[in-house]
Amino acid sequence: MSQENVEAFKRTVDASNRLDLEAFLEEVDAEVEWHPAMTALLRGETTVYRGHEGVREWWRDLEEAFPYQQAEFHEVRDLGDRIVAMGHLRTRGRESGAETETPAAYVVDYRNNKAVLVRTFLDHQEALEAAGLSE
């Protein structure tokens, strides 16, 4: 089942890069818990989004700040019911037009090939540690 989770993660990233929210939601559980690092960076506080409606809210918040977003992951580790993905995120700010590239990492727990817990990080080592790994 775990390789299927890797493929589900890749489909999620592809949907995000195409700005296809409905395809994105197909890959996450209706009761997903989403912990985005970027929102904490933007708002200065940690925010947890819950369920599909929460993911829709997160999507709107992120799109409002960054109309251009592209994620690329050069490594996706299969840990059974969990994956760890490391790469980078490119964005362009709506107000400033400034383009940025930052490290990005995801730790995603799966149940029945749907993401049920998503934690994102702007530091690869933090993600590895959160997944119980070290380098």
Side-chain angles (χ1 to χ4, degrees):
M1 291 297 243
S2 56
Q3 183 59 36
E4 292 173 4
N5 295 337
V6 170
E7 295 305 317
F9 177 77
K10 290 178 180 179
R11 286 191 302 273
T12 305
V13 172
D14 181 59
S16 176
N17 286 341
R18 289 183 319 201
L19 301 177
D20 186 343
L21 177 58
E22 295 310 313
F24 186 91
L25 290 173
E26 288 177 20
E27 303 300 332
V28 300
D29 189 82
E31 301 300 319
V32 68
E33 186 175 304
W34 198 282
H35 299 255
M38 192 65 92
T39 304
L41 188 66
L42 292 172
R43 291 185 176 175
E45 62 188 41
T46 302
T47 304
V48 177
Y49 296 90
R50 296 186 189 335
H52 280 184
E53 192 52 44
V55 171
R56 288 177 190 280
E57 181 184 348
W58 164 76
W59 185 284
R60 284 188 301 267
D61 290 349
L62 200 56
E63 193 173 59
E64 187 176 297
F66 302 106
Y68 171 81
Q69 310 160 45
Q70 288 291 298
E72 292 181 21
F73 292 90
H74 59 271
E75 183 176 354
V76 180
R77 295 188 189 185
D78 175 356
L79 304 175
D81 289 336
R82 173 180 287 165
I83 63 98
V84 176
M86 293 175 285
H88 60 269
L89 177 65
R90 289 187 188 101
T91 61
R92 183 180 318 112
R94 180 173 303 281
E95 296 297 320
S96 68
E99 294 186 15
T100 63
E101 183 172 321
T102 185
Y106 279 60
V107 177
V108 184
D109 292 358
Y110 286 88
R111 186 174 51 241
N112 300 320
N113 300 107
K114 300 280 186 183
V116 293
L117 174 62
V118 180
R119 294 173 287 162
T120 69
F121 302 86
L122 301 176
D123 179 279
H124 293 171
Q125 189 60 40
E126 284 182 33
L128 289 170
E129 290 171 7
L133 303 172
S134 61
E135 294 233 329

